[in-house]
Every structure is written in C-alpha cells, then in structure tokens.
Amino acid sequence: MDPKQENKPQAAEDPIKAEKKAAKAAAKAEKIAKAKAKAESKAKPAAAAEGQADGAAKPEKEKKDIRLKKEFVNTTPKGEKKDVSGEMADTYDPPAVEAAWYDWWEKSGFFAPEYNKDAKENFTIVIPPPNVTGSLHLGHALTNSIQDAICRWHRMNGRRVLWVPGTDHAGIATQSVVEKKIFKEEKKTKHDFTREEFVKRVWDWKAIYGNRITSQLRRMGSSLDWSRECFTMDPKLSRAVTECFVRMFDAGLIYRAHRLVNWSCKLRTAISDIEVEYVEVPGMQKMRVPGYDKPVDVGFIYEFAYKLKDGSGEIIVGTTRPETMLGDTAVAVHPEDPRYKDLIGKELVHPFIPERKMKIIADAQLVDMNFGTGAVKITPAHDPNDYECGKRQNLEFITIFNLDGTVNENGGEFKGMRRYDARSAVMEKIKALGLERSAPKNNPMRLATCSRSGDIIEPLLLPQWWVSCKELATESANAVRNGEIEIVPEQHKAIWYHWLDNIRDWCISRQLLWGHRIPAWKVLFADAAVAAAEGEQWVVARDDAEARQRAEAKFPGKQFDMKQDDDVLDTWFSSGLFPFSTLGWPDVQPGGDFDKFYPTSLLETGHDILFFWVARMVMMGKFCTGKWPFKQVLLHAMVRDAHGRKMSKSLGNVIDPVHVIEGITLEGLHKTLEEGNLDPREVEKAKNGQKQDFPSGISECGTDALRFALCAYTSQGRDINLDINRVVAYRNFCNKIWNATKLARMVFGADFVPRASAAASGNEGIMDKWILSRLNHAAKEVDASFKEYDFSRATGAIYSFWLYDLCDVYLEAIKPVVGKPGSEESKSAAARAAQDTLYTCVEEGLRLLSPFMCFLTEELWQRLPKRDPASSPASICVAPFPLPVAERAAPEIEAQFTEIMESVHAIRSLRTEYNIVRKMAPPLTVNTHSEKTENLFKAWSLQFKTLSYSGEVTIARDLPVGPEGAALAIPNASCELHVVLRGSVDTDQEIAKLKKKYEATDKQLQTLQKRRTGADYEKKVPENIREEETKKYETLQAELENINKTIANFEKLAKQ
C-alpha cells in the first residue's frame, strides 16, 4: 500500500465497492497467473504425459496465495477496555479485532451469574472438562463454539448464566506425559520415586503446563465463569469423590472381585472401555507393538490338535492367539454337533502341561458349529467370551501372564517369555510335536488396542473394585423413557436404551500413582489363624481415622494393621460427579451454588461419550443427590475432513484450530508432523495428504470465522465434513460485515445521534419497511433456532440477512435517498428515516450475530453511537438479544419486493449477456400488462432503477412495440423489460472482441481434442487426468456456445 494513502479520509470510497474491486482485481490476477502457468506447461506436454503414465502422483489442487496472521501489538493494558475511538481500518484484521476484549470481559465480571443477579431464571451448564494435558483441537473448538453460543444467547436474554469451567486430571495421560519428561531429562522412571515424590512431580508439571488448554479456551471466546474454575484433583472435588465412593460402597453398589479387565502391558494398568481403540485387521499382516523391536503377526487363524487322554483320537481347534493355549482348561463344542457328540466329557492332554486337567464340554451359547472346526479352545482367564463360558461351566481360571506381559509360572517351559515371543515359540513347539494341523491362514478381525500407548490389550483376571450398575442404569434409562431427561437429537435414545439395558458392571480400579487414591484399606491381621479364618478383608472410609474406627467395629478385639489400596480410581468416576461436585456437593450450604444452580439446565457434548460420561453422570448424580443432574442432553456430531474421513495424524488431515485462526504455510504444516510423535514411516504419507488438501497451506481465518463455521456446520445427527474453504468464506463474510458497518457510519455522519427508541417513526419509506421486515424475519428465525438447538438454521438466517438483505440490497437501494454526507439529500426526512433504519439493522444485526462472532461484534458495536449512553449496556455480550417485533412484519411489502427483484435479476442477466459495465446506465422501459403491475413498478421505481443500474425508467402499459435499439428481457408474464442499448454499446467493437475470443477458445478446444484422440491416449494418460480433460473439453464447448449466443444478440441489436 502507498504510505501516502494510509491516512486517506474515511469517506473517500464506498467500502462495499472497494471490496468488490479488490475481488475483481484478485480474479484478474488469478486468470493471468493461470494463463502463464498454462503457457509454461505447453512447453513440455509430452514429458508430463509420460511422467503421469509412469504412475506419478495425482495432480495437486491449484496453489493459491494464502493469508497469514499479521503481527499486531496490543497496547491496551490487560483488563482495560479497548479504545475504539480512532478510524476503522480499511479491512477486517482478526488479531487487531480480537485483542483485549476477553481480558476486559473477564475483569468486568460479565460471565459471572451474579452480573444478572436479579434475573428470574437460571441457565446452568458445565464444560466437558478437557484433559489437563490437552491442547485445543477441533473437538474442543466445536464443543465450546456451540456451548458459548448457547450461553451468550441465554445471557443476552436476561437469564442468570453459569457456565462452569474445569479440567480433568486425566490419570493415564498425565502420568504418561510426566514419566516421559522425567526419563528424557533425568533417565529415571516412576520406580525411582516414592509415591509422594512422584505425585509432587506431577503437581509441579501441572503448575507449569496445566493452564495451556484454559488459555486456548479464552482465545476461543468461551464465556466461562473463571472464578469458579475447578480441577478434578482439587480438594473440593476430591472430597466429593471420596464421599461418593463411601456412600456407594455402604449401599452395596461398590464391591471388590476377581474379574476380567482391559490390561495395558505397556502402561501396566487396567483401562476403561473408552480407552480401547479397535483396529480393523483385514488379514495376515505385521503390526508394531510397544516394547518389541520387530513387528508381530496378527490377522491369522491357526489350527492345532489336542490329543484325547484315552488315546482314541484328537480334536482340532482354531485360534488367533496361539500363546493363550498355555491357559486353556477345556475345549467347547456345540451339543448338537454330530461330529463331537460322542466326545463330550472326554479328557484331553495338554502337550506342554500334562498335569493340567482338561476336558471337552458342550456350550451352545459360545460355539458356532459352522465356523472353523466347530471346536473352540477355552482360556477363561484371558478372553471375555471364554470367561463367561468358564463361569457357566465351572472351569478353572488360570492366569498365564504377569502384569508386564511376560509368561508366568503357569506357562511351563515358556515362563519368562514376552507374550508375542511366546506366540512364536508355542507355534514352533506345536509343529515340532506334530500337532499343527494348519499353518496360519488369513482371518479378518478387530483388534483391541490401547488408545494411549498403541499396545494390544490383554484381557487379565485381577482383583479390582467394581460398581454394580444394573439398578442405577435401569432408573437412568427410564428417566429418558418418561421424559424426565430429554436427549437431543432423538435418534440417540436408541443407543442410550441399548447401552443401559445391557450394561455390565464397571471396573473403577487403575494401577496408577496419579489420581484419586481408592479410599479402601486392607485389614492385615496380626494373628495368622485369624487371617486364615477371616480371609481378605477391606474397609472403606473417608480417611485413616474412620477406616480404623470401622475396622475395629467390624473386628472387635482383634489385632491388625491397615494399608490403603495403592490403586487410584478411573478418571471417569470423578468426571461423573462434575455437574454437582463443582457446585459444592457434598458440603451443601443454604443459598450456595449447589442450592442455586443444581440441577443444571443442559449437558452439551459429543455423541461419542454418551455412555462413557453422560450415562455415568446421570447414574451417579441421581444416587448422590437424589436429582437428575440436568434436564436436557444435547449431542453434537464428529468433525471429519472435507472428504468425510475421520481425522487422523497418519492421513495428514488433522486440522489444528490455531492453524485456522492464524494461518499456516504448507511447509509449516509439514514441520508440525516432523516435530510430532508420528511414526517416521507415516510422516511422508501424512505430508502427501497435507499437500493434496492444503496445497499452499491454510489461510488465516480468525476466531470468529471458525466459530461461525463450526456452528453453521452443526446439523443435528450428521457428522461435520469440515472444508477449510468454507471457513475462509466466513472470514470474507466477517470482512463484509466490517465494511458494511464502516459504510453505515459514513451514512450516519459524525453528528448522528440515534433515536431514543427503535420503534418506527412513521417517516419510513417502503425500502425501510422492507428491511425492517427482513430483520424481524431473521430475529424470529434465530430465536426459534436457538430454542431448537438448530445452529445451522440460526447462522443461515443471520448470514442471509447481513449479506443478501442488508449489504446486497438495502445499502445499495438507499444511496440515492441518503446522498453523500453533507449533501441536501442527506438532510431530508427520508434520509433521516433511512439512517435510523440502517442504525437499527446494523445495531440489532450485530446483537443477533454476537453469540457466534463475539469479538467482531463487540468491536463494531462499541464503535456505534448509543440510543441512551447513560443506560446502555457496557458490552454487547450483556445487551438484550433482539426478539421479533410484530409491528415490523410486512409480508405484503416483502412479496412486492420479491416480484421487483425478479425483474432486477432479469436486467442484470441481460447486462451480463451484452457485456454492459456497471458504470453504464442505459434507459429502461417497463411494459406492464395490468394495473396492479403498473402500480407496483411505480411504487418501487426508485429502488428498481437503483438496483438494476439503469438510467431513466419509463413505466408503460401494453405497448404494441418496444423502443428501438433495445434488448428484451421477460421476467414473467406480467411485464417485459426493454433496455435501450443503442448508443450505449459499440456493437461492432463488441462483436469483434467476441470473435477474437471465440478463435482463442476454439484453438484451445482443437488442441485438446487432438491430444485426446492421439495414439495410446487411453493407455498413457492416467484415468484421473483423462476425466479432468473431458470436463475441460465440455467447458470449452459450452463457452463457445455462449460466445455465439452473445454475438447473435449484438448482431440482432445492430440490425434494429
């Protein structure tokens, strides 16, 4: 930009026009660049074709320049209100707009419920607590964009809003991060520390790094009440966890038992179902497992024989995990299978552990006689289905693995081997003994892996603490059935019922150091005889003193020591208490937060944790408080990439919200992969994915555009296929709003003072009434959409009002009415009415938009004059939300204008056909065929003339012949439009230009056709290139046809 132009007066140029000029210039530059690239490519077409034929990569998306975040220095002191008294910038700049506002909002207390202390209604919601280890990802961005929009809407509607922030201690994730850090820096492991020392290290880490996610939530504009921020390991929340555990134990809902759990040998802990990730294995392949130098074999089935003890034969079994045969205690067959009926009950010989008692059993529940050999080896201690079979058949449960995944003493000669080393050794020994009946064969399967470590899950039988869920689940399922809790969208009810009606007990023990230590103490009797008689005994209590008291009451007169369980609780246990532990339960005070804000109003989260988190909150909330924790559950969908694929680091399609906000080059995207923890072999694949989807990188969009886009995508029940180009389009929408507001301020003039009331003055013209009716329609749509959680509809209504009604129509239509600042037109009553109407539209339009675009709307709203500065709200975020005003509705005027716009579009299309530039305003005659149509055009003549860019407009009735030298457009049967072009257009010159263009286009077409009909085209040129060239050929054909039509139009005009 020319430095001399930086301080150009504000009124120098219409911002809307400036934006359109810039868009045209950019399009022209793009065409020139394309032409240059095309010319360069013609120099070596044959080489390119040969290269593609040899299997070269698919062509990249066309590279375009991207916009990156500009450096902006925020001079506003932290927490102070930004000074917006200066001139508006030429264009919208996200960093400049977003700076300072959040700190001021937070310091001013706008987000605390006490700010609206006199409100009659509450709206309470808790954040799904992100992991303290986490950083902002698209799931967080979507969740918080939706929740913030809802909270801001309720706040602006006068409710007392409490949105509770907090983070989850994330037991496994946090301990893993700290362990890696300690090992990297000190070459020590957790075993080098006492429990207290290691836990202190985690707290130290949390003090340094734990606020990253909360800072990013502030950056997203989330209007959380930070004065009530919670952490699941805070004393208040820890007290709630202990209290809940004790009460559930006392009620018989928590018990200790030996049962099968999901075990991670890498992490050496049980993990929850949600931390199990299933990998589809299509067949035999190698897979990397943590701790192994070489990949292990998976995706196969292996058959071997067990010999009958009486020597009468054998039975062949198939397995996908040969190493688990070391823990086999039976072989099951179907009782109706004729092949094995006579063998049921016979004993078998284990080839490696001959003293093991094994027999053939009948089990119709487990065995499918048509699958494999029809005989199934049973390992009750290492497979969920076999476990259930073992319980039904009263089999012996033999654990063969230690907690680190090595074979224990029950594995005979294989003791000490790692499980996948034992797999190979067992198969080799089986083969050596002549018991192999089939080498490994393809077997598609789903493999359970640990999402935290990538380890393959090992089902292990361990003593753990469990929650009995059946009673709680039945009550929770019925709460939805009878309408006490509403789930939105409704289709998720079926999943709710399925999970809760078929619920299994919940393992809540975790073998970690970081987390809520289980409040259970093992009683260690001093007398061995007493210990033998009593067996393993535990007491559950709130602290050491209560544990001692309970134990003494339970075992009077006996001597004992006590030791607290070293395990911690599953993180989901504390998360399940979040809606009420954050509000002070169990230490409930009259008039306190729990008393005022519980039950909460809404729980909004992703549908993927409906069971793992939502169901547990419902069950635990009702048990602990006697009330359901919320009235409604709103579930949003998963964010996928533009092609509908799940986002994956290995595909290179993971989108970091910060990259969308700030922009990033392709090289920058590549660098994030190189610095991440992706397997080096996956990095190149991911880079290629990035190159295909983001050939130049990602343009800076700003926070508001990202928030708006995510909400606009949110259609109930459907996954979100996020196309970055759409976010970029919403960034352009932000710029449109910026320019429209800037233009509005120019229309107002420096001395403009808005009327004290937004009610109509009575001086409004027909165009003013139309736009107020459209504003009313938008307000009605948005209000209804928020009530129905239809954010796609709400954003669509706002977008349509601002872009199509206000910017494209009203601002254009009132230009002749308001004139230029200081002109005679600007002083008329009609101009004042238009100014007041425009003020109402911009001011209320910003308030409509505010829940979705909080930063931009605050910046612009603060720049508007206020109706009553003394009583005006301090911020747009606490200003009233616009509601429908019945008096503004003007359906007849809207219907009339729709008919007028039909003719406007017809004229604009005709102008395009004849290449009539915007600055040319040819005369126009409207030939009507009814009094109604004639009166309609007379009433709207000024608006019709302005919006159709016409000169003098003549409205006639039933003309036998149109004016000479005119082009004809017929929008409908009620009228014809005659645009007089003679004298406005040099027909000979236009025809010559079009013929030249025809020749150039035809030459391209012939060249392409020659290439497409060349020898070996079908063989040498890849299919995707052929498809592109076919489309290009069809486009060129259509272009030639359109040029011919335009030439014909000019020739016809020349003859008149």
Side-chain angles (χ1 to χ4, degrees):
M1 180 179 179
D2 182 350
K4 295 177 183 177
Q5 300 299 312
E6 288 182 359
N7 297 316
K8 193 181 274 189
Q10 188 177 14
E13 187 175 13
D14 177 343
I16 302 292
K17 284 184 178 178
E19 184 181 26
K20 289 179 178 177
K21 281 183 184 178
K24 286 181 181 178
K28 186 176 181 182
E30 191 178 326
K31 284 183 180 178
I32 292 171
K34 282 184 184 177
K36 184 178 178 182
K38 197 178 290 181
E40 291 173 352
S41 66
K42 284 181 180 178
K44 43 183 179 181
E50 288 295 331
Q52 289 161 351
D54 289 339
K58 292 182 180 179
E60 302 170 15
K61 288 184 179 179
E62 185 186 344
K63 288 194 174 185
K64 295 181 181 178
D65 290 336
I66 61 166
R67 179 177 44 239
L68 298 176
K69 176 186 175 183
K70 297 176 186 174
E71 286 302 317
F72 175 78
V73 178
N74 178 23
T75 58
T76 304
K78 188 177 177 64
E80 297 301 308
K81 186 176 181 181
K82 187 195 294 188
D83 181 4
V84 292
S85 61
E87 297 294 339
M88 288 179 68
D90 289 339
T91 56
Y92 165 66
D93 181 28
V97 168
E98 294 168 18
W101 288 123
Y102 197 94
D103 291 336
W104 176 63
W105 291 333
E106 190 175 344
K107 183 180 178 183
S108 300
F110 297 141
F111 304 155
E114 289 77 14
Y115 192 85
N116 247 354
K117 60 184 178 182
D118 296 327
K120 295 179 180 178
E121 291 181 69
N122 287 341
F123 177 79
T124 312
I125 184 172
V126 297
I127 192 174
N131 287 353
V132 70
T133 57
S135 59
L136 192 69
H137 59 61
L138 273 179
H140 295 135
L142 173 63
T143 300
N144 282 272
S145 296
I146 292 171
Q147 291 180 10
D148 191 50
I150 293 171
C151 287
R152 287 177 181 272
W153 179 73
H154 279 289
R155 194 178 289 115
M156 293 176 75
N157 273 285
R159 297 181 184 91
R160 187 188 298 110
V161 174
L162 173 58
W163 185 12
V164 182
T167 47
D168 192 283
H169 66 277
I172 292 175
T174 306
Q175 180 163 321
S176 178
V177 166
V178 175
E179 283 189 65
K180 287 177 182 177
K181 184 175 185 292
I182 291 173
F183 187 79
K184 183 178 179 181
E185 295 174 357
E186 305 174 38
K187 295 294 182 282
K188 291 181 179 180
T189 71
K190 63 184 177 184
H191 305 294
D192 295 312
F193 302 89
T194 65
R195 183 188 194 99
E196 291 72 21
E197 288 171 342
F198 184 83
V199 170
K200 182 181 182 302
R201 287 295 193 97
V202 182
W203 278 108
D204 291 344
W205 177 91
K206 194 257 180 191
I208 298 170
Y209 302 104
N211 294 327
R212 177 173 53 180
I213 186 67
T214 56
S215 297
Q216 291 172 328
L217 292 176
R218 285 176 167 91
R219 183 170 190 180
M220 284 296 297
S222 303
S223 57
L224 294 143
D225 179 6
W226 294 104
S227 69
R228 287 173 166 88
E229 182 181 1
C230 294
F231 177 51
T232 50
M233 288 285 285
D234 285 344
K236 180 174 79 170
L237 274 66
S238 296
R239 158 112 170 84
V241 169
T242 300
E243 184 66 24
C244 177
F245 188 98
V246 173
R247 290 190 190 185
M248 292 184 83
F249 177 83
D250 289 347
L253 294 175
I254 287 181
Y255 63 94
R256 187 171 175 84
H258 271 75
R259 299 182 66 174
L260 214 56
V261 300
N262 301 313
W263 185 260
S264 168
C265 299
K266 170 69 175 174
L267 300 175
R268 297 195 194 182
T269 181
I271 65 171
S272 66
D273 290 341
I274 196 172
E275 289 158 331
V276 176
E277 195 170 85
Y278 289 93
V279 177
E280 296 293 338
V281 179
M284 288 182 67
Q285 65 181 58
K286 299 283 186 182
M287 180 174 176
R288 291 208 165 264
V289 177
Y292 290 80
D293 295 331
K294 295 180 180 179
V296 302
D297 293 312
V298 295
F300 66 87
I301 190 165
Y302 179 70
E303 293 179 358
F304 67 95
Y306 275 118
K307 295 293 184 180
L308 297 173
K309 193 171 185 179
D310 61 10
S312 62
E314 65 183 29
I315 189 166
I316 300 172
V317 296
T319 179
T320 59
R321 303 175 66 209
E323 69 280 8
T324 61
M325 62 87 67
L326 299 174
D328 284 358
T329 55
V331 170
V333 298
H334 196 282
E336 302 300 322
D337 194 330
R339 294 172 293 178
Y340 304 120
K341 266 190 175 181
D342 296 339
L343 300 181
I344 295 171
K346 288 200 171 188
E347 293 187 349
L348 299 168
V349 178
H350 196 289
F352 307 136
I353 309 159
E355 66 274 17
R356 174 86 49 86
K357 289 185 178 181
M358 288 182 65
K359 62 180 180 179
I360 299 172
I361 60 172
D363 195 306
Q365 280 185 250
L366 178 68
V367 181
D368 177 358
M369 69 177 83
N370 298 313
F371 179 77
T373 65
V376 180
K377 59 183 280 303
I378 305 298
T379 319
H382 291 283
D383 181 272
N385 295 320
D386 293 2
Y387 173 80
E388 296 298 332
C389 174
K391 288 200 298 182
R392 287 194 299 272
Q393 303 282 350
N394 197 27
L395 299 176
E396 185 179 3
F397 288 72
I398 300 174
T399 298
I400 60 168
F401 294 124
N402 297 311
L403 300 183
D404 62 356
T406 55
V407 178
N408 65 17
E409 64 279 359
N410 294 323
E413 64 189 271
F414 304 95
K415 177 184 175 181
M417 287 186 181
R418 296 183 302 174
R419 53 184 173 154
Y420 293 114
D421 294 336
R423 171 176 291 185
S424 301
V426 165
M427 291 168 71
E428 286 175 13
K429 191 66 182 283
I430 285 174
K431 188 173 184 178
L433 292 175
L435 296 174
E436 181 179 282
R437 295 297 176 262
S438 172
K441 297 182 292 189
N442 269 332
N443 182 59
M445 60 192 296
R446 291 178 79 224
L447 203 58
T449 65
C450 173
S451 63
R452 301 290 183 185
S453 65
D455 195 14
I456 297 176
I457 293 298
E458 186 61 55
L460 274 188
L461 194 62
L462 293 171
Q464 306 276 279
W465 292 96
W466 298 78
V467 174
S468 175
C469 296
K470 188 65 181 173
E471 182 182 332
L472 298 173
T474 300
E475 196 177 3
S476 299
N478 289 337
V480 174
R481 285 190 173 100
N482 62 31
E484 292 177 82
I485 297 175
E486 179 187 8
I487 294 178
V488 181
E490 283 200 347
Q491 68 253 36
H492 292 295
K493 286 183 179 179
I495 301 170
W496 179 265
Y497 299 142
H498 174 75
W499 278 340
L500 292 180
D501 291 345
N502 298 281
I503 200 166
R504 295 186 297 180
D505 286 358
W506 171 22
C507 173
I508 53 176
S509 297
R510 296 292 178 268
Q511 290 64 45
L512 301 169
L513 298 174
W514 174 245
H516 295 103
R517 195 169 177 184
I518 293 176
W521 283 257
K522 190 174 184 179
V523 180
L524 306 171
F525 295 101
D527 189 303
V530 173
E534 292 288 353
E536 185 174 283
Q537 293 290 341
W538 292 79
V539 294
V540 168
R542 293 167 180 83
D543 53 36
D544 290 341
E546 188 182 31
R548 169 66 62 177
Q549 184 181 2
R550 287 190 172 204
E552 289 174 348
K554 189 175 182 181
F555 308 109
K558 295 183 172 63
Q559 299 296 312
F560 54 79
D561 286 328
M562 302 183 72
K563 183 180 185 300
Q564 187 175 356
D565 195 336
D566 285 327
D567 290 351
V568 301
L569 285 165
D570 178 9
T571 301
W572 293 103
F573 191 93
S574 55
S575 300
L577 312 181
F578 204 72
F580 49 95
S581 64
T582 55
L583 299 177
W585 186 91
D587 301 317
V588 178
Q589 302 294 328
D593 278 359
F594 183 87
D595 196 26
K596 288 189 290 188
F597 299 111
Y598 188 84
T600 65
S601 310
L602 174 72
L603 189 283
E604 195 282 332
T605 190
H607 67 73
D608 54 323
I609 53 174
L610 175 63
F611 174 68
F612 301 107
W613 187 44
V614 180
R616 285 165 179 168
M617 281 189 287
V618 170
M619 291 189 292
M620 298 171 83
K622 187 63 188 297
F623 172 80
C624 290
T625 71
K627 299 175 182 178
W628 302 117
F630 27 74
K631 302 176 183 69
Q632 285 184 309
V633 177
L634 175 62
L635 303 168
H636 63 247
M638 179 183 289
V639 184
R640 297 179 178 272
D641 72 5
H643 313 292
R645 300 173 303 179
K646 185 177 180 180
M647 290 194 178
S648 160
K649 289 180 181 177
S650 62
L651 289 175
N653 64 347
V654 172
I655 300 171
D656 184 334
V658 175
H659 293 160
V660 182
I661 292 169
E662 296 185 351
I664 187 171
T665 62
L666 179 61
E667 292 72 23
L669 288 170
H670 287 348
K671 191 175 180 182
T672 61
L673 290 174
E674 292 162 0
E675 294 175 350
N677 56 6
L678 194 61
D679 189 308
R681 291 160 299 186
E682 297 281 356
V683 169
E684 283 308 311
K685 175 185 171 185
K687 283 184 176 180
N688 287 331
Q690 289 179 336
K691 200 172 181 181
Q692 288 292 322
D693 285 346
F694 316 112
S696 299
I698 298 173
S699 265
E700 174 212 40
C701 296
T703 302
D704 284 316
L706 176 60
R707 285 168 53 112
F708 193 84
L710 290 170
C711 290
Y713 264 114
T714 304
S715 182
Q716 291 178 9
R718 296 214 308 258
D719 280 349
I720 295 169
N721 296 348
L722 182 65
D723 185 349
I724 289 299
N725 290 326
R726 187 165 169 185
V727 188
V728 173
Y730 286 131
R731 198 267 189 207
N732 295 336
F733 177 50
C734 291
N735 194 56
K736 195 83 169 178
I737 295 167
W738 179 270
N739 283 335
T741 307
K742 186 174 181 180
L743 177 60
R745 293 176 75 225
M746 290 163 54
V747 170
F748 300 151
D751 300 326
F752 176 76
V753 176
R755 294 174 59 247
S757 169
S761 66
N763 295 323
E764 288 78 16
I766 196 168
M767 202 68 218
D768 303 326
K769 292 175 181 177
W770 174 82
I771 192 63
L772 288 172
S773 185
R774 296 307 300 157
L775 174 62
N776 190 66
H777 173 78
K780 187 176 180 180
E781 280 288 290
V782 174
D783 183 60
S785 300
F786 264 110
K787 289 173 180 174
E788 296 168 15
Y789 302 122
D790 190 344
F791 306 107
S792 178
R793 178 180 160 200
T795 53
I798 294 168
Y799 184 86
S800 180
F801 171 75
W802 271 97
L803 193 62
Y804 303 125
D805 296 336
L806 188 60
C807 293
D808 287 358
V809 175
Y810 186 71
L811 281 172
E812 290 290 332
I814 63 171
K815 284 179 180 178
V817 177
V818 298
K820 293 181 179 179
S823 66
E824 286 303 313
E825 294 96 327
S826 68
K827 300 172 184 175
S828 66
R832 175 65 202 205
Q835 288 173 332
D836 287 330
T837 300
L838 178 58
Y839 176 85
T840 297
C841 290
V842 171
E843 196 271 342
E844 292 190 22
L846 289 172
R847 283 191 275 137
L848 277 177
L849 181 59
S850 184
F852 300 109
M853 291 187 175
C854 54
F855 294 109
L856 175 63
T857 54
E858 185 74 82
E859 177 88 13
L860 295 176
W861 189 80
Q862 293 290 351
R863 291 178 181 271
L864 294 178
K866 300 298 180 281
R867 295 189 187 278
D868 182 2
S871 63
S872 177
S875 165
I876 195 172
C877 70
V878 289
F881 194 77
L883 296 174
V885 179
E887 292 77 17
R888 290 178 180 171
E892 289 185 11
I893 289 176
E894 286 198 44
Q896 289 175 13
F897 190 65
T898 298
E899 196 171 335
I900 290 295
M901 284 304 292
E902 187 179 7
S903 294
V904 167
H905 292 312
I907 294 297
R908 289 180 179 178
S909 296
L910 190 144
R911 292 174 66 98
T912 301
E913 287 178 28
Y914 284 93
N915 290 339
I916 304 172
V917 296
R918 174 78 174 270
K919 64 182 179 182
M920 293 177 63
L924 169 65
T925 296
V926 182
N927 186 28
T928 64
H929 299 303
S930 70
E931 184 179 356
K932 179 183 175 184
T933 305
E934 184 180 9
N935 291 337
L936 175 71
F937 275 94
K938 285 179 179 178
W940 292 89
S941 60
L942 177 60
Q943 292 76 25
F944 178 60
K945 174 184 176 180
T946 304
L947 296 171
S948 64
Y949 318 128
S950 299
E952 183 182 352
V953 175
T954 302
I955 300 168
R957 177 86 168 274
D958 294 326
L959 286 175
V961 181
E964 289 188 4
L968 176 65
I970 305 176
N972 52 55
S974 66
C975 67
E976 296 97 30
L977 309 171
H978 300 271
V979 181
V980 180
L981 298 181
R982 183 177 290 172
S984 299
V985 177
D986 186 333
T987 55
D988 292 338
Q989 185 180 353
E990 293 297 329
I991 290 170
K993 280 164 44 179
L994 286 166
K995 285 183 175 179
K996 190 173 180 180
K997 185 178 179 182
Y998 184 95
E999 288 173 8
T1001 306
D1002 187 54
K1003 188 176 180 181
Q1004 288 183 52
L1005 185 73
Q1006 298 307 323
T1007 302
L1008 185 58
Q1009 178 62 0
K1010 184 177 179 182
R1011 171 173 158 74
R1012 292 174 70 239
T1013 55
D1016 296 332
Y1017 176 78
E1018 295 290 328
K1019 293 180 181 178
K1020 286 188 175 183
V1021 180
E1023 184 182 356
N1024 63 309
I1025 303 296
R1026 296 200 308 271
E1027 288 176 0
E1028 283 187 10
E1029 292 186 343
T1030 298
K1031 289 178 183 175
K1032 185 176 180 181
Y1033 183 81
E1034 291 169 354
T1035 301
L1036 290 171
Q1037 281 186 316
E1039 193 172 338
L1040 288 176
E1041 188 177 335
N1042 286 331
I1043 292 171
N1044 270 331
K1045 285 181 181 177
T1046 307
I1047 290 172
N1049 284 336
F1050 277 115
E1051 288 174 342
K1052 182 180 177 183
L1053 183 64
K1055 291 176 182 176
Q1056 290 185 6

